[in-house]
Amino acid sequence: MLTHSTRRWLAGLGVAGAIVAASASPAVAAEAPFEIATHDLLVAPGHTDYGWFYAQPADTESERTFGRTSVDIDMSAVAGFATVEPAWGWTCDVSPSKLHCETDVEEGQWPWFDYMVTAKDDAKPAQKGSLAISITAGGKTAKATAEVTIAEGVDLVSNPTVEVSGAPGGTAGLPTVVSNAGEAAVDGAVLVIQAEYLAAYGGDFSNCKSDEWGMASFCTFDTKIEPGKSYKLSENLPIKLAPEARTNAKFPVVLDWWTTDDFDLTFKDWFLDVKPGKGQKLRLVEQSAQSARVPQTDLDKMNNTTIGTVRVTGDNHADLATKGATASGKKGDVVTVEPSFTNLGPAVLEYLGQGTPGIRLEDLPIRVSVPADTTVVEAPFDCVPFAPEKEWDPWTAGWGEPGAKEYACQVLESWKDYEASYSFALRIDKVVPDATGSITTTLTGDPNKSNDTAKIVINPTSPNGGNGGGDGDGDGDGGSLPITGQSTGLIAGLGALLLVAGVGGYLVAKRRRTRFVA
């Protein structure tokens, strides 16, 4: 049985990781101490798809310094029907049949290469050829191939958003519609469902496979989806809400439509065990012309995803109790304070932060006010300067930025009795007895407002200076967040990675801050 934190990690990395792991095929030259991971591509005539590959040490437990690194791609096998060009980041020489690029890879990083394949207008479906790829570093070379296949261009489109509701312990029915905005019939489709375990897929359809937690599921349809027509599910997708789900919580469910060929290519080596249901078959039912979506003519991989939202009703709330902190020092000293909160339950507080769909700065449930005459010289990466008058983009916001007087902080999933702390390093600019700041929770539906605020006191004149309105003892100690900053952003940002399968690996690498260089 997995812990809730492990489950959440799998939820975040499962489908997103499949874009990298399932479609990447390592190939190692005998003499090279590193290997190349790459993937095959399907490209429609007149359109562009994104490819990528990277090198990593063959022994992943050891460090490998690449230094000056070169990439060579022999494109002669595809030159008759496609062109290949580098996307960004390398210095390249390009000819009609060969590509040579170089870069300096910093110590501790691995080389990552992005490229674009554009099929010629007169390319014919089923044409194929392989790119011969090699990476050379330190006098050693590894080789791999990536197959490029010309495919018929189609365009699956789904309704962009849908919202339903349900009570803790109950089931919400999530509808979705898929349309064919292209000119050719689509021979079947696969619906990929990605959900939170607190609001998980709860169906038992025979043509749907799911992991044991209902977080990653795949439904296969053999229906021919005709051009200009829309189809709905014969039954709404059942989303089962856990009994501990918090009233007012909103859980994302990502519904992503794939052609069968795209799905088979990307998920061919799916690594989690999924089993089919034992019930009836989920079907696609053609809608009447009056309710069908107006067709779109572009081939856009960004328009085949529905972001579903399941809102929790009922009366099951989380009581957050704050705990203050104190510290003492002289002018110029840097002191550390760790204000915290504890979830007294009974509901689980879900993740709220970077990557949460539709999150606003004001929605971050923790506020930290910095004591007067002190300056934040180091802030936790879970916190961002609170400036609601400025434009808010959670992916590019100043997480962990020092110097602000007030911060808003994201929260990880917090079960009953879980304590989370936020560590701030403060420089004392002027010694003022009882210089006071605060930690405050702003969670909607919190049933007990009396413990929502606690003091942060610098140079307290009494031993209880940090108690404030919370239940803390003011000692500055507390639990720590097991995953912080960019990692939590990745876990919550999982759905978006499905939207861009062609460049999924690149986004995974950038959001994880792993050791890749492009």
Side-chain angles (χ1 to χ4, degrees):
M1 187 70 177
L2 296 178
T3 65
H4 71 274
S5 58
T6 304
R7 290 176 179 175
R8 186 170 184 88
W9 181 254
L10 290 175
L13 294 185
V15 178
I19 296 174
V20 176
S23 59
S25 302
V28 186
E31 77 280 7
F34 54 88
E35 64 183 12
I36 299 174
T38 186
H39 66 116
D40 300 330
L41 295 92
L42 295 174
V43 190
H47 288 80
T48 299
D49 202 359
Y50 293 88
W52 50 265
F53 54 86
Y54 61 89
Q56 64 180 5
D59 177 8
T60 56
E61 297 301 317
S62 62
E63 294 291 334
R64 163 76 187 176
T65 300
F66 285 88
R68 189 66 178 178
T69 301
S70 64
V71 162
D72 290 278
I73 303 178
D74 185 340
M75 307 174 291
S76 56
V78 305
F81 58 83
T83 60
V84 180
E85 57 184 321
W88 45 68
W90 294 61
T91 301
C92 298
D93 294 323
V94 183
S95 71
S97 61
K98 294 187 182 296
L99 181 68
H100 176 81
C101 301
E102 296 185 1
T103 194
D104 289 314
V105 179
E106 296 181 7
E107 185 175 357
Q109 293 186 324
W110 303 342
W112 182 290
F113 190 87
D114 297 274
Y115 61 95
M116 295 179 291
V117 177
T118 302
K120 297 180 179 180
D121 291 338
D122 59 355
K124 300 295 188 293
Q127 283 185 286
K128 64 176 60 178
S130 292
L131 301 175
I133 299 167
S134 64
I135 295 180
T136 301
K140 302 293 184 179
T141 299
K143 298 183 178 182
T145 59
E147 188 173 74
V148 177
T149 301
I150 301 300
E152 183 178 45
V154 297
D155 190 9
L156 293 175
V157 179
S158 64
N159 43 322
T161 60
V162 63
E163 182 169 337
V164 296
S165 61
T171 299
L174 194 63
T176 186
V177 174
V178 62
S179 304
N180 184 353
E183 298 178 356
V186 179
D187 293 323
V190 180
L191 175 61
V192 177
I193 307 163
Q194 190 172 5
E196 300 270 355
Y197 77 93
L198 288 169
Y201 168 73
D204 191 37
F205 300 107
S206 59
N207 58 323
C208 297
K209 295 181 178 181
S210 180
D211 62 36
E212 63 177 300
W213 311 287
M215 296 188 301
S217 308
F218 314 95
C219 297
T220 302
F221 303 92
D222 55 11
T223 304
K224 180 169 286 190
I225 303 173
E226 299 291 346
K229 294 185 178 180
S230 295
Y231 300 75
K232 65 179 181 179
L233 298 178
S234 55
E235 296 181 37
N236 290 340
L237 283 173
I239 304 300
K240 187 176 181 180
L241 292 165
E244 61 269 25
R246 183 182 67 88
T247 296
N248 295 322
K250 292 184 177 181
F251 294 105
V253 179
V254 180
L255 309 177
D256 197 68
W257 291 94
W258 299 66
T259 68
T260 54
D261 291 324
D262 285 335
F263 177 83
D264 290 343
L265 181 68
T266 303
F267 291 85
K268 61 183 178 182
D269 295 321
W270 177 252
F271 57 92
L272 292 180
D273 184 32
V274 289
K275 296 180 180 179
K278 299 179 181 179
Q280 62 183 357
K281 190 175 182 179
L282 185 65
R283 297 175 293 108
L284 288 177
V285 180
E286 182 181 341
Q287 291 189 306
S288 64
Q290 289 79 6
S291 61
R293 176 175 177 153
V294 177
Q296 301 176 6
T297 58
D298 61 345
L299 292 176
D300 186 354
K301 290 182 179 178
M302 300 293 285
N303 64 3
N304 57 356
T305 296
T306 296
I307 304 298
T309 300
V310 180
R311 183 175 62 84
V312 182
T313 60
D315 187 22
N316 192 43
H317 296 279
D319 177 15
L320 305 188
T322 56
K323 178 181 178 180
T326 64
S328 297
K330 60 183 181 297
K331 181 178 179 180
D333 284 353
V334 174
V335 298
T336 298
V337 293
E338 291 190 3
S340 65
F341 75 86
T342 298
N343 179 13
L344 302 182
V348 172
L349 173 61
E350 72 281 5
Y351 170 83
L352 291 171
Q354 182 187 35
T356 301
I359 192 76
R360 303 174 304 163
L361 181 61
E362 303 93 293
D363 295 332
L364 299 179
I366 304 298
R367 299 274 194 282
V368 174
S369 176
V370 178
D373 298 303
T374 66
T375 299
V376 176
V377 295
E378 186 176 334
F381 281 102
D382 292 293
C383 299
V384 64
F386 185 66
E389 72 280 0
K390 295 183 179 180
E391 185 176 351
W392 163 253
D393 181 351
W395 288 111
T396 60
W399 296 98
E401 182 179 300
K405 299 305 294 181
E406 185 177 6
Y407 288 84
C409 302
Q410 63 184 4
V411 296
L412 291 183
E413 185 176 274
S414 305
W415 285 62
K416 185 178 183 297
D417 297 328
Y418 179 77
E419 182 179 8
S421 64
Y422 301 86
S423 179
F424 288 84
L426 306 178
R427 184 184 67 237
I428 299 175
D429 300 321
K430 180 181 178 181
V431 175
V432 177
D434 294 320
T436 302
S438 64
I439 179 172
T440 301
T441 62
T442 61
L443 186 66
T444 301
D446 189 322
N448 182 8
K449 299 300 182 183
S450 66
N451 59 9
D452 286 356
T453 299
K455 294 178 181 179
I456 302 170
V457 182
I458 304 301
N459 289 311
T461 57
S462 69
N464 297 319
N467 279 352
D471 64 349
D473 57 11
D475 60 7
D477 295 327
S480 60
L481 297 177
I483 306 172
T484 60
Q486 292 296 319
S487 297
T488 56
L490 168 66
I491 293 171
L494 52 96
L497 300 179
L498 283 174
L499 309 183
V500 280
V503 290
Y506 175 77
L507 292 181
V508 170
K510 294 304 181 185
R511 289 185 182 178
R512 287 181 62 191
R513 287 189 176 177
T514 46
R515 301 180 297 174
F516 295 114
V517 60

